[in-house]
Amino acid sequence: MGAMTDSERELITQAVAAAESDTAGEIVTVLANRSDGYSDIQLGWAILAAITALAVVAMFPDFYLPKVDWLLGGWNHEWTPRALLTLAAIIAIAKFISVWLILLWQPLLMLLVPSPVKSARVRERAMALFKVGAERRTHGRTGILIYLSMQEHRAEIVADEAIAAIVPAEVWGEAMADMLAEIKQGRVAHGLAAGIRDVGVVLAEHFPRADDDVNELPDRLIEV
């Protein structure tokens, strides 16, 4: 994820300020490079590779043993059960380590993370950040988080209890669609601004701003 420019950050700050000018709702925006390290997925693929290697050696020993004999200098090696187990263990360990190292390359790892897992991790991260930065942090419990996770290509909108009690989650679909349409064109800041605008319209309808309303949460983009 390329770093936001100052002008892009200012665009988002102004979008939040404009959206909040007509509502008591408080909008928090968070931009993340990714939502999880997926080390468990990396481990799972490495284990699967090791188990697969063991199974292949067990099913096709005649394919591997002549090659190992050749590597040993062409000697007609006597393959005892202990030697076969040692060979299988070496192959499995080598497969495990090689796959683990290969998946240190994040683009490949992200391709191998199942889509439902990505969605769940992004949701979990959004909820965690919401609890820290927005939940019950406003007088009327009207905070809302717009969260974008770049590597997973996913976004979440999480609302505080006063908003969630009145506005169904499906209502945020238009904001999500407008936001992602811009982001798919590489216009991340404009996408966030579009989502902020749509969220502001919904909030203004249900939570109009009072004369004595004060800004309780920061308008600036949070980058994690």
Side-chain angles (χ1 to χ4, degrees), residues 21 35 38 40 54 62-63 83-84 106 122 124 128 135 147 177 201 205 214 218-219:
S21 64
S35 295
Y38 300 102
D40 57 331
L54 283 174
D62 293 338
F63 176 79
L84 286 171
Q106 289 299 311
V122 170
E124 290 170 5
E135 186 179 33
Y147 176 74
V201 170
E205 177 183 352
V214 295
D219 295 344

Side-chain angles (χ1 to χ4, degrees), residues 36-52 92-93 95-104 106 109 112-114 121:
D36 192 75
Y38 300 102
S39 58
D40 57 331
I41 305 299
Q42 182 182 7
L43 177 63
W45 280 108
I47 292 173
L48 179 62
I51 293 173
T52 302
I93 292 170
K95 286 288 186 182
F96 178 92
I97 293 174
S98 61
V99 171
W100 175 270
L101 292 175
I102 289 170
L103 292 182
L104 289 174
Q106 289 299 311
L109 176 60
L112 296 177
V113 177
R121 300 289 169 87

Side-chain angles (χ1 to χ4, degrees), residues 36 61 108 111 125-126 138 141 148 153 156 164 174 189 205 220 223:
D36 192 75
L108 178 57
L111 286 174
R125 182 64 169 158
T138 63
R141 296 182 180 178
L148 178 62
H153 298 168
E156 289 284 344
E174 182 177 348
E205 177 183 352
R220 65 177 179 83
E223 298 173 76

Side-chain angles (χ1 to χ4, degrees), residues 118-138:
K118 290 180 183 177
S119 298
R121 300 289 169 87
V122 170
R123 178 68 177 174
E124 290 170 5
R125 182 64 169 158
M127 290 297 296
L129 291 171
F130 173 72
K131 291 179 182 297
V132 172
E135 186 179 33
R136 301 184 180 183
R137 296 283 297 275
T138 63

Side-chain angles (χ1 to χ4, degrees), residues 11-219:
L11 173 67
I12 294 168
T13 299
Q14 291 178 1
V16 172
E20 292 180 352
S21 64
D22 295 322
T23 177
E26 295 283 343
I27 302 171
V28 177
T29 54
V30 178
L31 177 65
N33 182 32
R34 64 180 181 181
S35 295
D36 192 75
Y38 300 102
S39 58
D40 57 331
I41 305 299
Q42 182 182 7
L43 177 63
W45 280 108
I47 292 173
L48 179 62
I51 293 173
T52 302
L54 283 174
V56 171
V57 171
M59 290 187 293
F60 306 105
D62 293 338
F63 176 79
Y64 285 96
L65 298 185
K67 292 176 172 56
V68 175
D69 286 335
W70 179 80
L71 289 173
L72 294 175
W75 293 97
N76 187 15
H77 187 270
E78 181 181 353
W79 289 100
T80 64
R82 181 175 180 178
L84 286 171
L85 286 173
T86 300
L87 174 63
I90 291 172
I91 292 174
I93 292 170
K95 286 288 186 182
F96 178 92
I97 293 174
S98 61
V99 171
W100 175 270
L101 292 175
I102 289 170
L103 292 182
L104 289 174
W105 188 46
Q106 289 299 311
L108 178 57
L109 176 60
M110 293 302 296
L111 286 174
L112 296 177
V113 177
S115 181
V117 173
K118 290 180 183 177
S119 298
R121 300 289 169 87
V122 170
R123 178 68 177 174
E124 290 170 5
R125 182 64 169 158
M127 290 297 296
L129 291 171
F130 173 72
K131 291 179 182 297
V132 172
E135 186 179 33
R136 301 184 180 183
R137 296 283 297 275
T138 63
H139 176 72
R141 296 182 180 178
T142 54
I144 188 165
L145 173 75
I146 300 176
Y147 176 74
L148 178 62
S149 192
M150 295 300 293
Q151 287 198 27
E152 288 90 349
H153 298 168
R154 281 164 174 76
E156 289 284 344
I157 296 176
V158 186
D160 215 335
E161 56 187 75
I163 299 174
I166 298 175
V167 183
E170 296 77 15
V171 171
W172 308 120
E174 182 177 348
M176 193 74 74
D178 288 344
M179 179 168 60
L180 295 180
E182 292 281 357
I183 292 171
K184 288 177 181 178
Q185 301 299 319
R187 294 157 52 90
V188 177
H190 289 81
L192 283 169
I196 292 164
R197 178 199 64 217
D198 292 351
V199 167
V201 170
V202 175
L203 293 178
E205 177 183 352
H206 296 282
F207 301 93
R209 183 169 186 171
D211 293 337
D212 60 348
D213 185 80
V214 295
N215 193 13
E216 298 176 90
L217 296 176
D219 295 344

